[in-house]
Amino acid sequence: MCRIAAAVSLLPIPCLATPLYDLPWHTRRAYVTPAELQPSYDFIIAGGGLAGLVLASRLSEDANTTVLVIEAGPTGDDVRSRIDTPVIAYFNGLMRSQYDWQHITTPQPNLNNRNISWPGGKVLGGSSAMNGMYMVRPSAVELDTMAKVLGNMDGAAAWGWDGMYNAMKMSETFTPPSAEIQSEGNILYNAASHGTSGPIHTTYAGFVLPLFGQWGETLGNMGVHVSSDGDGGQGWGAFVSTSAINPSNWTRSYSKSAYIDPLPPRANLHILTNQTVTRLIFDNSSGTLRATSVEYANNGYQQKPWPTVAVNKEVVVAGGPVGSPNILMQSGVGPSDKLTAAGVQVAYALPGVGQHAQDHLSTQVIFRTTAQTTAQLYAAGAINGTGNPIGSFVNSAIAYTNITDLLGDYAAAFQQEVIANMTASTNDRALNPSSDPTVTKGYQAVYQATVDTMLTPAGQVELLLAMTGTSAGPDTFAVQAGLQHPFSTGEVYIATPNPFDYPVINPNYFSHRADVVLLREGIKLARKVGQTQPISTFVTAEVSPGPDVQTDEQWDAWLRTVVSTEFHPSCTCAMLPLDQGGVVDANLKVYGLANVRVADSSVFPLSFAAHLMAPTYGLAEQAAMIIKSQYNGTPSPAALQTNTATATSQPTETSTNDNKASSGFKLAALPSFPVVFAAVLTFLAPVILL
């Protein structure tokens, strides 16, 4: 019998007699309408996505603290079955629906002028309600590099491996796979690397297909390291990732179902849905801008003046890599030239807002197969309703290939070429869009940090086994390749003073030659997977790109026609020193503002070899601890750090790959290509999700 403990925020879903999605939400949760709002709240969270709901749950644990979440999308309750069944994300999920922001980039010159889709969850839970459920952590190398980039900033110690490792474990309750699933899937894991009492449930699928179990052996036969613990700091090589799935009923575990739904009614927590934060309103009477209220509206046609709600302590902006810079700039905080051009009065000039944008770029090799695929099961109606173990089988076999896997003996020389190009890259507006000297200094710092990790075991290209079918038919599978540490950076900025007009998104994809080279060599490895035993036993033909693509020039030309996002944008409100174009400090406070923080994936200063969900849960847990330390006197994450290492940054095994790089890797400027505008939204099939 389930006992309702005091720490009910951590209550596992299976303890409830009735499934949460069958209960009337308003009987358990303080969802409110605008008319029901209090005049003021201690904390207002702008965005009810992944990070926003973590903060709402954690901050409202103190009954004396009032919290309001304002979310632009709906609760998602009316489409809960599409959210809850894991594999539905690949067939009938929320992408391209009203629950998706459906952002789109500007035409990308180096991708044949194609516009690239940037999906994002416009629903409580944000993208955690619609993504592919990968719970992949960055490596210790990468997180320690992030802390090093922050230098001696107050609070910087929290953002290295030790701090983030503890925070990611805090968010998690891990359930090992059954012995049968572990054997059939050839799954290796270390339970000690996982959490045991967090809100998010993680596990492995309750059903696997024969091809899936061949992943590790195939990658090992290619010379790629096979990891026995991808979550303990050495997140490189081939392994099967955990997924955000509750094994008690095989449903998606996401920020709403984990951090909000199990809570008893809290009078101090209000959640306002279908309302967009339009701007923050500041007072400057004390000499420092202080947010006094938050303006919101239900759509772009609501008559002004739009309503406001007052804030007593802080505003936490949690709108994600597009929404957070958009809110700041609509509030008059950002690059003065962008704000002036958009017709927004400058409240505080902060040049780094919207800059440093990075994203994982990816594509796939498609193979026709004799093996059974998830797409075939779905087409046959074998996946019906929630609670079906077959419906939990999502893509999760991955490999983070390092620079030696990709370039062989040429790796060190390639690194030197990238280093030699730093000065030219810094001055190239297609690579570093801002001419502000502080942003330029930050670009150099991030560039140097990225190149410094190049010869470490950290992954440069991610390979993923996708068994959810492709555009070529249900009898196909794909091996996808995603660039993890791009040198091409872009920007997000507003073009009008209307907060309902989408911001301009320009990632500058493939503007740095190194990105082309690394992804090309990665997609070659993806092809090699289908040619290597035992997976090759299941392959009858390569469908795409096919045998006509062989030379480097052919690969490069093909890549420009097909690459798209892996849906991992970040870094647009970068946590960096102010003199490096930073937007927030190591305590997530926005520079120049007395009581505004940003807490979501936009604050990471570096792109990780990982999916962003696990580190963002860790970031949100740390953000809550930081805020509580200021107002409740509890220890901050930085104060909790010790010198005890929980993981090393060096591999216990090294790659035996003897791949050799092709010649002609010189990082000359990209050649000019005919501009052929194609207003096509590019989606991978099947999609790769966070």
Side-chain angles (χ1 to χ4, degrees):
M1 178 177 180
C2 174
R3 296 180 179 178
I4 306 300
V8 72
S9 62
L10 303 184
L11 184 69
I13 287 179
C15 289
L16 296 174
T18 304
L20 284 168
Y21 45 82
D22 288 342
L23 293 175
W25 301 106
H26 288 270
T27 65
R28 299 177 295 100
R29 193 73 50 246
Y31 291 108
V32 294
T33 66
E36 297 169 320
L37 289 176
Q38 298 297 313
S40 67
Y41 294 83
D42 293 328
F43 295 96
I44 299 179
I45 300 169
L50 185 158
L53 295 188
V54 174
L55 283 156
S57 179
R58 293 305 192 192
L59 294 179
S60 64
E61 288 172 346
D62 178 359
N64 296 315
T65 296
T66 57
V67 178
L68 170 66
V69 178
I70 305 178
E71 164 57 33
T75 65
D77 299 339
D78 56 337
V79 288
R80 192 62 185 264
S81 63
R82 292 167 65 187
I83 294 173
D84 278 347
T85 306
V87 77
I88 292 299
Y90 293 89
F91 300 107
N92 188 30
L94 304 187
M95 284 182 61
R96 286 165 273 183
S97 74
Q98 68 187 78
Y99 307 94
D100 175 5
W101 281 99
Q102 300 188 56
H103 288 119
I104 189 170
T105 72
T106 59
Q108 296 296 289
N110 298 309
L111 304 187
N112 292 357
N113 252 25
R114 291 183 295 125
N115 303 83
I116 304 301
S117 169
W118 271 28
K122 189 178 182 181
V123 64
L124 277 182
S127 293
S128 74
M130 62 183 282
N131 64 19
M133 290 152 280
Y134 289 91
M135 288 292 282
V136 185
R137 298 172 181 169
S139 66
V141 169
E142 296 167 294
L143 289 172
D144 286 342
T145 297
M146 178 170 71
K148 182 179 178 181
V149 167
L150 301 181
N152 60 359
M153 296 169 65
D154 177 51
W159 301 108
W161 168 254
D162 287 350
M164 284 291 285
Y165 180 53
N166 292 333
M168 288 185 286
K169 290 175 71 175
M170 183 188 303
S171 71
E172 175 191 37
T173 290
F174 170 71
T175 300
S178 68
E180 180 183 7
I181 292 297
Q182 183 178 5
S183 175
E184 291 178 359
N186 287 313
I187 297 170
L188 304 176
Y189 68 92
N190 179 3
S193 295
H194 295 279
T196 58
S197 59
I200 293 293
H201 287 272
T202 66
T203 189
Y204 301 93
F207 173 85
V208 297
L209 291 168
L211 178 62
F212 178 88
Q214 314 307 313
W215 178 255
E217 183 179 354
T218 300
L219 271 291
N221 288 340
M222 292 168 55
V224 175
H225 169 68
V226 178
S227 176
S228 60
D229 181 12
D231 296 298
Q234 299 180 13
W236 47 73
F239 57 96
V240 175
S241 74
T242 55
S243 297
I245 294 174
N246 186 337
S248 71
N249 54 14
W250 302 114
T251 58
R252 175 194 296 267
S253 183
Y254 69 114
S255 63
K256 179 177 180 289
S257 69
Y259 281 88
I260 299 298
D261 290 347
L263 299 180
R266 286 179 176 174
N268 61 325
L269 172 61
H270 282 177
I271 299 175
L272 179 65
T273 59
N274 294 303
Q275 302 288 330
T276 298
V277 170
T278 54
R279 63 176 175 138
L280 314 183
I281 297 174
F282 300 106
D283 174 70
N284 196 26
S285 60
S286 64
T288 302
L289 286 178
R290 173 174 290 275
T292 56
S293 59
V294 174
E295 182 185 79
Y296 63 93
N298 64 1
N299 59 58
Y301 305 100
Q302 183 175 346
Q303 185 175 358
K304 290 188 176 183
W306 289 333
T308 62
V309 58
V311 57
N312 301 325
K313 292 180 179 178
E314 292 192 11
V315 176
V316 183
V317 178
V322 176
S324 287
N326 183 62
I327 290 172
L328 290 178
M329 284 188 272
Q330 290 292 346
S331 305
V333 179
S336 56
D337 58 337
K338 302 291 189 186
L339 297 180
T340 300
V344 172
Q345 183 175 351
V346 178
Y348 185 79
L350 194 56
V353 175
Q355 299 299 309
H356 300 297
Q358 298 180 54
D359 187 29
H360 293 166
L361 200 58
S362 66
T363 190
Q364 61 189 356
V365 176
I366 299 174
F367 301 96
R368 200 160 304 282
T369 182
T370 58
Q372 190 175 39
T373 69
T374 319
Q376 291 171 329
L377 293 174
Y378 181 77
I383 302 171
N384 297 310
T386 57
N388 184 347
I390 298 177
S392 71
F393 184 59
V394 293
N395 297 330
S396 57
I398 58 177
Y400 286 96
T401 57
N402 62 36
I403 195 69
T404 306
D405 296 324
L406 298 167
L407 302 182
D409 294 339
Y410 193 70
F414 181 78
Q415 182 199 42
Q416 291 304 309
E417 291 181 13
V418 177
I419 293 172
N421 273 266
M422 184 166 72
T423 300
S425 299
T426 300
N427 298 321
D428 187 342
R429 295 286 77 84
L431 289 164
N432 171 30
S434 175
S435 59
D436 180 85
T438 66
V439 176
T440 295
K441 186 177 178 182
Y443 175 85
Q444 292 172 322
V446 171
Y447 191 110
Q448 187 65 57
T450 303
V451 80
D452 284 347
T453 63
M454 187 174 280
L455 297 184
T456 72
Q460 297 296 324
V461 170
E462 179 186 21
L463 301 181
L464 306 93
L465 177 63
M467 298 186 63
T468 44
T470 73
S471 58
D475 62 336
T476 61
F477 72 92
V479 180
Q480 302 166 338
L483 179 70
Q484 301 299 290
H485 296 123
F487 288 94
S488 305
T489 65
E491 59 184 342
V492 175
Y493 60 91
I494 62 172
T496 79
N498 184 351
F500 292 92
D501 288 342
Y502 278 6
V504 177
I505 301 172
N506 180 16
N508 284 324
Y509 289 132
F510 269 1
S511 55
H512 197 292
R513 182 65 181 172
D515 294 352
V516 182
V517 171
L518 290 172
L519 189 53
R520 176 217 301 154
E521 297 308 306
I523 202 65
K524 288 181 183 177
L525 279 185
R527 169 181 275 178
K528 189 173 181 181
V529 171
Q531 299 171 342
T532 303
Q533 290 283 352
I535 283 182
S536 62
T537 305
F538 299 88
V539 173
T540 59
E542 179 185 310
V543 178
S544 177
D548 292 341
V549 174
Q550 296 292 337
T551 68
D552 287 351
E553 292 74 18
Q554 290 170 334
W555 278 113
D556 292 354
W558 178 75
L559 285 172
R560 292 186 184 92
T561 67
V562 296
V563 293
S564 187
T565 177
E566 199 180 4
F567 310 137
H568 302 158
S570 60
C571 310
T572 51
C573 292
M575 178 169 41
L576 286 168
L578 180 60
D579 67 356
Q580 293 182 8
V583 176
V584 300
D585 63 19
N587 291 311
L588 305 179
K589 279 198 167 182
V590 178
Y591 291 113
L593 308 182
N595 64 333
V596 179
R597 300 182 205 254
V598 179
D600 55 40
S601 63
S602 71
V603 306
F604 294 128
L606 305 170
S607 179
F608 302 130
H611 295 242
L612 288 178
M613 185 157 62
T616 304
Y617 277 123
L619 179 144
E621 289 280 9
Q622 297 231 96
M625 294 172 65
I626 290 169
I627 294 170
K628 286 183 173 183
S629 73
Q630 177 172 336
Y631 295 96
N632 294 24
T634 53
S636 70
L640 292 173
Q641 295 316 303
T642 68
N643 294 324
T644 302
T646 54
T648 64
S649 295
Q650 296 300 319
T652 54
E653 300 176 59
T654 56
S655 171
T656 57
N657 193 334
D658 62 353
N659 293 337
K660 304 299 181 184
S662 304
S663 60
F665 276 163
K666 299 298 180 184
L667 301 179
L670 286 170
S672 175
F673 292 91
V675 176
V676 181
F677 179 80
V680 178
L681 299 181
T682 303
F683 293 90
L684 295 180
V687 293
I688 311 174
L689 297 156
L690 277 83

